[in-house]
Amino acid sequence: QKEVEQNSGPLSVPEGAIASLNCTYSDRGSQSFFWYRQYSGKSPELIMFIYSNGDKEDGRFTAQLNKASQYVSLLIRDSQPSDSATYLCAVNIPRNNDMRFGAGTRLTVKP
Amino acid sequence: GAVVSQHPSRVICKSGTSVKIECRSLDFQATTMFWYRQFPKQSLMLMATSNEGSKATYEQGVEKDKFLINHASLTLSTLTVTSAHPEDSSFYICSAREGLAASYNEQFFGPGTRLTVL
């Protein structure tokens, strides 16, 4: 089982819709969860982090964490074409003091 | 916010030459720095982790004698691709973390260096 798994997509949503991106992780001891956005040809950019169970909102973005299910998600409300990018989930791995990235989900928001 | 720079942003070199890429944390002290490689349409691949003043820890399959990493200060790490070959052409991205612990410490990425080996 991979340490961090994401559906590679592509995920396509119409403009104005909610985009839902999912991520599962294997290490129950993980404590920190991050979402990065990567535009084509650019490096990743941190958009949110979450450490506690529940929801965390920042503008149009909501991160959701469920440690019991080892699941973290990112919701993007009112999706815009400029949100089209690859979204990377990252999780800390306590046993080796490391952070591992999922392969990323490619999101396309169609006007 | 935390800013990480990389230089150069783009480099083209001949096969057999060496290329050095610099990664700097501009407004924080980076205890730990990371080097990634990303081929087109593929995911990030961690090459190595370096802590300031120590030898880098390389991921399995990454040749440490080919990819030399130096993290001499809390704001600078360098990656040298020695005897570069066309298959080394890729997007090299560094990231930096302020704390030693992976928990509760974000990693911030540099803008990346696109290496083309002819």
Side-chain angles (χ1 to χ4, degrees):
Chain A
Q1 183 188 6
K2 289 183 182 176
E3 291 169 314
V4 182
E5 293 205 59
Q6 293 181 254
N7 187 326
S8 63
L11 172 66
S12 183
V13 300
E15 184 174 357
I18 296 175
S20 177
L21 303 157
N22 305 315
C23 173
T24 58
Y25 59 96
S26 61
D27 192 328
R28 283 199 169 274
S30 294
Q31 304 151 305
S32 310
F33 308 87
F34 306 87
W35 282 100
Y36 289 81
R37 177 177 61 200
Q38 185 176 24
Y39 291 113
S40 181
K42 303 292 185 184
S43 66
E45 161 194 21
L46 179 67
I47 51 174
M48 283 199 77
F49 58 86
I50 184 166
Y51 302 149
S52 304
N53 270 330
D55 294 0
K56 179 181 178 183
E57 191 174 313
D58 183 0
R60 294 186 297 112
F61 298 97
T62 299
Q64 298 176 316
L65 174 61
N66 184 326
K67 289 185 180 179
S69 301
Q70 294 175 241
Y71 176 93
V72 58
S73 65
L74 179 71
L75 300 178
I76 306 174
R77 287 182 301 282
D78 188 23
S79 296
Q80 302 296 308
S82 58
D83 295 325
S84 298
T86 297
Y87 289 81
L88 302 167
C89 169
V91 178
N92 83 298
I93 308 296
R95 70 175 180 281
N96 55 8
N97 190 33
D98 206 346
M99 187 160 81
R100 294 290 168 175
F101 286 82
T105 298
R106 188 156 56 90
L107 171 68
T108 301
V109 180
K110 296 190 173 178
Chain B
V3 179
V4 177
S5 71
Q6 258 183 265
H7 178 80
S9 58
R10 191 177 291 269
V11 58
I12 300 173
C13 69
K14 291 183 180 179
S15 187
T17 59
S18 294
V19 174
K20 181 186 278 190
I21 303 170
E22 289 188 349
C23 176
R24 292 182 186 273
S25 57
L26 299 185
D27 52 1
F28 68 101
Q29 293 190 321
T31 309
T32 309
M33 285 184 164
F34 306 85
W35 287 96
Y36 294 84
R37 181 167 53 181
Q38 189 174 37
F39 293 107
K41 298 192 188 300
Q42 294 190 22
S43 57
L44 285 175
M45 189 192 83
L46 179 65
M47 299 174 68
T49 302
S50 73
N51 292 315
E52 183 263 339
S54 329
K55 286 185 181 179
T57 302
Y58 289 81
E59 295 296 301
Q60 197 169 13
V62 178
E63 299 174 58
K64 61 181 180 183
D65 294 331
K66 180 169 180 62
F67 298 100
L68 302 178
I69 292 171
N70 187 297
H71 190 168
S73 78
L74 284 171
T75 59
L76 174 65
S77 176
T78 60
L79 167 68
T80 302
V81 183
T82 62
S83 186
H85 290 285
E87 58 265 30
D88 298 323
S89 298
S90 188
F91 191 41
Y92 291 85
I93 313 172
C94 74
S95 73
R97 184 177 76 200
E98 187 167 12
L100 275 174
S103 331
Y104 312 115
N105 278 301
E106 305 96 292
Q107 276 181 224
F108 298 96
F109 285 85
T113 297
R114 191 159 302 281
L115 170 64
T116 304
V117 184
L118 302 176

